[in-house]
């Protein structure tokens, strides 16, 4: 392997903490003090030495990376159509590619195909290619417009869909390279989401070279033990006892009482609104399935988890019930998707009729977005149809998710300006001067990366220009019709928010999105143009997501000392494979999957939410929905409130008492609220306990155990649980199910199609009783029990 002239084939080791000699002004010393906790977390898991001669971008890494990028892209695209969609983590590829890499090193002839032992750097590049295998956000738009069950735009060809996905996936990468001095090099930008991944690599390749613990069991053995334990356990909630996936705690304590009703199947408001994790808010809802937890609650710092869960609890457990029971926007109790008992629903992203005099729909009934589309006018607004059902309504819970987005967007700008403004200004000035930052250049990982040539800024700019040109062509020449100027306005939004959103993700592990802001702004600018609004949303959301994805991977490369050229190649190659495979898999699901999408387990909820949003922001438009004089106009105040709230802790730190605690009051994280866009409302109790146990109890009282094993355990749990879900999904497609119905494995083939069947009066784990069927004039139950 040939090396650049400036790279020496020797081990580089930096043993200082972070700063070799502090020559900075006094006002920067506080910043150094705040880094101590971050350095403490990193030093126990990140390698402290490097050999630039180690093989990285080899035949083996490209072959295995291509294989796993292909497999996972197909699998994740298909699984995205599940009712409770999930993504197979690239950590699965990390585990399974390890013996494959060792085998190739042992059996292939020496030379270009086998440069020597299988290295950690090769392994990391395989992961980078495989990590590009998630479902591209551009596919949301493709499916929403082309799927016969949704918009059914038959003018979209496979080639056009692929081109759209390709451009939306790649454009953000150009911006990522231009922001690396802000989001990659600084020690404070530590990207906690990388730590569980690093834990796997150090367990497999670098055992105990990083941290010498008194506990004798190796990281690799701990990984294997935890992987095996979670592998066997996950079969219980995912296959044998699905009730454990989401437990409606209030329903268990309240019982399936009917309140004032004496009719089977009619829930009281406690169960239907507060208790049920499927139909309602799921207050105190919990889970015993690791799939609904994840290692992010181990790797993310406790303060970030506390902000996120604390804010979500306030919105979901306090404000949402108050809005519902106060009937804040009217007719809340009439919104229903129950075809039999008309139980009110809260946990949904669908649209409902608000016109009591509608000639086509009943008041409070669901109305599909296609009702508003004029298929003869490029799916723009059919004003006659809209006026028949307007005002169109959404549940108070869904409304809060939009409020949270408005709050988070403006709070992110304000928070970053208040706390990181001076640092950003310093880095911008250094960028114009083409100088290394005086603070960041002293980071020990940055020092070791000096052995590798950087990709120049102009290369990223050229790439960005090429992608922008491609976006203009696709906007003008395909059914994804968006005004040409929309491409540049889109890029302007991404440039404005990439640093605020990137900084928050880099310090906390939680990500923000531009999806709501993009559709809000473009909907105001070109109201009623559904297709253009959906395309603009796909571009804006994906541009910033892809930009930050590359930033996170470049940070991973900095931690594990891999040349930026190799990292960028792996990212680009994996993304290209992903675009092709994801488009092909989604195309097959839409047009060739038979009756699979009729199954309750395959209800493509994520696509339906995107599709509904097209009706809200595209056809109807934000002016009719949130504008002055509209039903939901008060939500516009959220932009102002979000902008002002982060100023309060900054003032407290500056004028009340100086403390780093003020900086941890992160309002953007508090407002990062998912709402009804997930199937089960069970995301607070167990994740909060996991975070408290790992980041508070273990980190403070069993630090040696935390440093050596915490990230390894999280990675093992994620990987094994994901593999089990893949196996069960394949079994489900093949018709292999656990058919023995019990309290733990209810019959979800009949109404309600929910694991919390115990929230419905008169419902047993297998069926309703005869009272329910007799009220409908039926003489037997669905399971064949006679009611005569």
């Amino acid at each position: 392997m040939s090396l650049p002239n400036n790279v020496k084939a020797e081990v580089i080791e930096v043993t200082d903490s972070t700063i070799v000699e502090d020559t900075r002004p006094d006002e920067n010393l506080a910043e150094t003090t705040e880094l101590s906790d971050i350095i403490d977390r990193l030093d126990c898991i990140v390698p402290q030495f490097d050999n630039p001669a180690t093989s990285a971008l080899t035949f083996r890494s490209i072959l295995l990376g291509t294989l796993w990028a292909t497999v996972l892209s197909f699998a994740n695209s298909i699984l995205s159509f599940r009712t409770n969609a999930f993504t197979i983590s690239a950590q699965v590829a990390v585990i399974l590619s390890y013996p494959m890499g060792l085998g190739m090193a042992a059996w292939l002839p020496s030379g270009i195909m086998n440069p020597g032992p299988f290295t950690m750097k090769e392994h990391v590049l395989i992961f980078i290619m495989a990590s590009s295998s998630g479902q591209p956000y551009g596919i949301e738009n493709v499916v929403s417009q082309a799927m016969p069950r949704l918009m059914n735009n038959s003018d979209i060809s496979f080639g056009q869909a692929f081109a759209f996905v390709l451009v939306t996936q790649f454009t953000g990468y150009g911006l990522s390279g231009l922001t690396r001095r802000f989001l990659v090099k600084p020690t404070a930008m530590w990207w906690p989401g990388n730590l569980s991944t690093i834990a796997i690599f150090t367990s497999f390749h670098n055992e105990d070279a990083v941290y010498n613990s008194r506990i004798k069991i190796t990281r690799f053995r701990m990984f294997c033990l935890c992987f095996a334990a979670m592998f066997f356990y996950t079969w219980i909630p995912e296959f044998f006892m699905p009730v454990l996936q989401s437990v409606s705690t209030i329903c268990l304590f309240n019982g399936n009482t009917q309140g004032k009703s004496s009719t089977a199947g009619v829930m009281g408001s406690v169960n239907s609104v507060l208790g049920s994790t499927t139909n309602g808010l799921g207050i105190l809802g919990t889970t015993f399935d690791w799939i609904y937890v994840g290692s992010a609650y181990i790797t993310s710092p406790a303060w970030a988890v506390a902000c996120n869960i604390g804010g979500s609890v306030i919105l979901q457990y306090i404000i949402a019930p108050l809005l519902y029971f106060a009937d804040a926007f009217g007719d809340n109790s009439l919104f229903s998707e129950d075809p039999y008992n008309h139980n009110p629903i809260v946990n949904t992203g669908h649209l409902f009729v608000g016109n009591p005099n509608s000639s086509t729909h009943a008041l409070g009934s669901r109305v599909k977005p296609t009702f508003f589309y004029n298929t003869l006018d490029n799916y723009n607004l059919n004003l006659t149809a809209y006026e028949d059902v307007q005002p169109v309504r959404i549940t108070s819970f869904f409304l809060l998710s939009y409020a949270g987005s408005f709050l988070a967007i403006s709070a992110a700008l304000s928070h970053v300006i208040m706390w990181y403004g001076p640092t950003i200004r310093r880095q911008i000035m250094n960028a114009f001067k083409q100088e290394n930052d005086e603070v960041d250049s002293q980071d020990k990982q940055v020092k070791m990366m000096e052995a590798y040539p950087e990709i120049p800024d102009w290369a990223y700019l050229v790439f960005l220009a090429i992608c922008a040109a491609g976006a203009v062509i696709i906007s003008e020449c395909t059914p994804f019709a968006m005004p040409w100027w929309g491409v540049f306005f889109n890029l302007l939004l991404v440039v404005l928010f990439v640093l605020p959103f990137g900084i928050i993700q880099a310090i906390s592990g939680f990500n923000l999105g531009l999806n709501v802001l993009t559709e809000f702004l473009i909907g105001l600018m070109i109201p009623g143009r559904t297709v253009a609004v959906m395309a603009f949303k796909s571009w804006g959301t994906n541009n910033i997501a892809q930009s930050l994805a590359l930033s996170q991977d470049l940070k991973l490369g900095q931690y594990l000392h891999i040349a930026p050229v190799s990292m960028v190649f792996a990212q680009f190659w994996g993304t290209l494979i992903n675009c092709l495979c994801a488009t092909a898999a989604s195309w097959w699901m839409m047009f060739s999957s038979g009756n699979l999408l009729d199954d309750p387990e395959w209800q493509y909820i994520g696509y339906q939410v995107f599709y509904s949003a097209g009706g809200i922001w595209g056809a109807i438009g934000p002016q009719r929905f949130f504008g002055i004089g509209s039903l939901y106009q008060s939500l516009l105040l959220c932009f102002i409130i979000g902008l002002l709230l982060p100023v309060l802790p900054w003032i407290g730190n500056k004028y009340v008492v100086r403390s780093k605690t003020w900086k941890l009051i992160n309002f953007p994280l508090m407002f990062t609220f998912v709402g009804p866009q997930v199937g089960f409302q069970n995301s607070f109790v167990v994740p909060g306990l996991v975070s408290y146990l790992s980041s508070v109890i273990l980190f403070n009282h069993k630090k040696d155990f935390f440093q050596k094993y915490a990230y390894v355990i999280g990675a093992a749990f994620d990987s094994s649980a994901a593999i089990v879900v893949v196996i069960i999904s394949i079994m489900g497609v093949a018709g292999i199910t656990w058919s023995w119905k019990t309290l733990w494995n209810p019959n979800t083939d009949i109404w309600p199609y929910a694991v919390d069947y115990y929230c419905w009066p008169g419902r047993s784990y297998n069926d309703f009783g005869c009272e329910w069927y007799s009220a409908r004039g039926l003489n037997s139950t669905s399971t064949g029990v006679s009611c005569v």
Side-chain angles (χ1 to χ4, degrees), residues 223-338:
F223 179 90
C224 293
L225 290 173
C226 293
F227 183 93
M230 184 55 70
F231 182 89
F232 288 110
Y233 173 78
T234 302
W235 284 90
I236 298 175
E238 282 291 323
F239 191 72
F240 296 107
M241 300 181 180
V243 162
L244 298 178
Q245 292 178 19
S246 189
V247 178
S248 299
T249 308
I250 286 182
C251 289
L252 287 179
F253 282 98
N254 190 51
N256 59 353
T257 56
Q258 299 161 213
K260 297 180 180 179
S261 171
S262 59
T263 305
V266 179
M267 290 189 286
S269 59
V270 172
N271 283 7
S272 63
V273 177
L274 304 179
S276 174
T277 58
T278 57
N279 188 85
L281 298 171
I283 293 177
L284 298 180
T286 189
T287 181
F288 295 93
D289 189 344
W290 185 258
I291 288 293
Y292 299 97
V293 183
S295 65
Y297 290 97
I298 295 177
T299 59
S300 295
W303 67 264
V305 175
C307 284
N308 179 252
I309 292 182
S312 297
V313 164
I314 292 172
L315 290 170
Q316 185 163 334
Y317 289 3
I318 300 176
I319 297 179
L322 290 175
L323 289 176
Y324 179 88
F325 289 111
D327 203 21
F329 296 95
D331 298 333
N332 283 331
S333 61
L334 297 180
F335 303 153
S336 178
E337 296 181 9
D338 184 342

Side-chain angles (χ1 to χ4, degrees), residues 405-415 497 638-643 646:
S405 295
F406 294 167
L407 289 163
I409 288 166
S410 55
L413 286 175
S414 181
H415 179 87
F497 284 95
C638 293
F639 286 112
I640 299 174
I641 295 171
L643 196 66

Side-chain angles (χ1 to χ4, degrees), residues 719-786:
S719 304
S720 57
I723 288 175
V724 171
V725 171
V726 172
I727 296 172
I728 293 174
S729 297
I730 294 173
M731 292 169 58
V733 173
I736 303 173
T737 59
W738 182 248
S739 58
W740 187 22
K741 302 305 178 185
T742 66
L743 292 171
W744 308 100
N745 182 36
N747 183 1
T748 56
D749 293 330
I750 62 173
W751 181 267
Y753 314 115
V755 293
D756 59 349
Y757 63 91
Y758 43 84
C759 292
W760 274 259
R763 177 71 152 89
S764 70
Y765 65 85
N766 198 34
D767 199 353
F768 279 105
C770 282
E771 177 189 357
W772 192 83
Y773 286 96
S774 297
R776 283 154 186 77
L778 301 175
N779 296 324
S780 63
T781 69
S782 295
T783 54
V785 176
S786 176

Side-chain angles (χ1 to χ4, degrees), residues 166-180 455-473 486-496 498 539-540 542-544 546-548 550 568 572:
L166 189 71
V167 173
T168 56
Q169 284 291 92
F170 273 98
T171 304
Y173 289 158
L175 290 170
S176 178
L178 298 175
T179 60
R180 63 194 186 279
I455 299 176
D457 289 345
W458 65 261
Y460 288 107
L461 276 172
V462 169
F463 182 78
L464 180 61
I466 293 173
C467 290
V472 171
I473 293 172
V487 173
F488 302 101
F489 180 56
N490 207 308
L491 289 176
L492 177 63
L493 285 179
V494 176
V495 169
L496 180 63
V498 68
W539 252 301
N542 216 39
N543 282 346
I544 200 164
Q546 290 296 93
S547 175
L548 298 182
L550 181 56
V568 171
F572 280 32

Side-chain angles (χ1 to χ4, degrees), residues 137 273 279-281 315-316 319-321 323-324 329 332 335 337 345-352 366-367 369 392-406 515-516 519 537 605-617 620 625-626 632 635 638 671 673-678 681:
Y137 193 73
V273 177
N279 188 85
L281 298 171
L315 290 170
Q316 185 163 334
I319 297 179
L323 289 176
Y324 179 88
F329 296 95
N332 283 331
F335 303 153
E337 296 181 9
I345 189 170
V346 178
N347 184 26
T348 180
H350 293 149
L351 310 179
F352 298 91
R366 178 186 170 188
V367 55
V392 176
R393 297 177 180 272
I394 56 179
T395 67
S396 55
F397 189 33
F398 193 20
L399 189 70
L400 272 182
S401 69
Y402 282 124
S405 295
F406 294 167
N515 53 325
V516 172
E519 57 195 0
K537 173 185 177 180
I605 296 296
Y607 297 111
Q608 291 193 49
V609 170
F610 188 96
Y611 172 64
S612 295
I616 296 174
W617 302 99
I620 300 173
F625 224 91
F626 298 106
Y632 303 120
L635 263 69
C638 293
F671 300 139
F673 175 61
V674 177
Q677 299 184 55
V678 295
Q681 297 300 327

Side-chain angles (χ1 to χ4, degrees), residues 650-706:
W650 183 83
I651 292 175
N653 181 68
K654 190 172 183 66
Y655 297 107
V656 180
V657 57
R658 296 189 67 85
S659 171
K660 67 177 183 180
T661 304
W662 291 107
K663 194 174 183 179
L664 303 183
I665 301 175
N666 193 304
F667 283 103
L669 289 183
M670 294 180 188
F671 300 139
T672 304
F673 175 61
V674 177
Q677 299 184 55
V678 295
F680 297 144
Q681 297 300 327
N682 56 8
S683 305
F684 305 144
V685 177
V686 174
L689 290 175
V690 168
S691 177
Y692 181 76
L693 176 63
S694 60
S695 295
V696 177
I697 301 298
L698 289 181
F699 186 76
N700 292 322
H701 302 289
K702 297 290 182 182
K703 202 164 193 174
D704 55 345
F705 184 92
F706 177 91

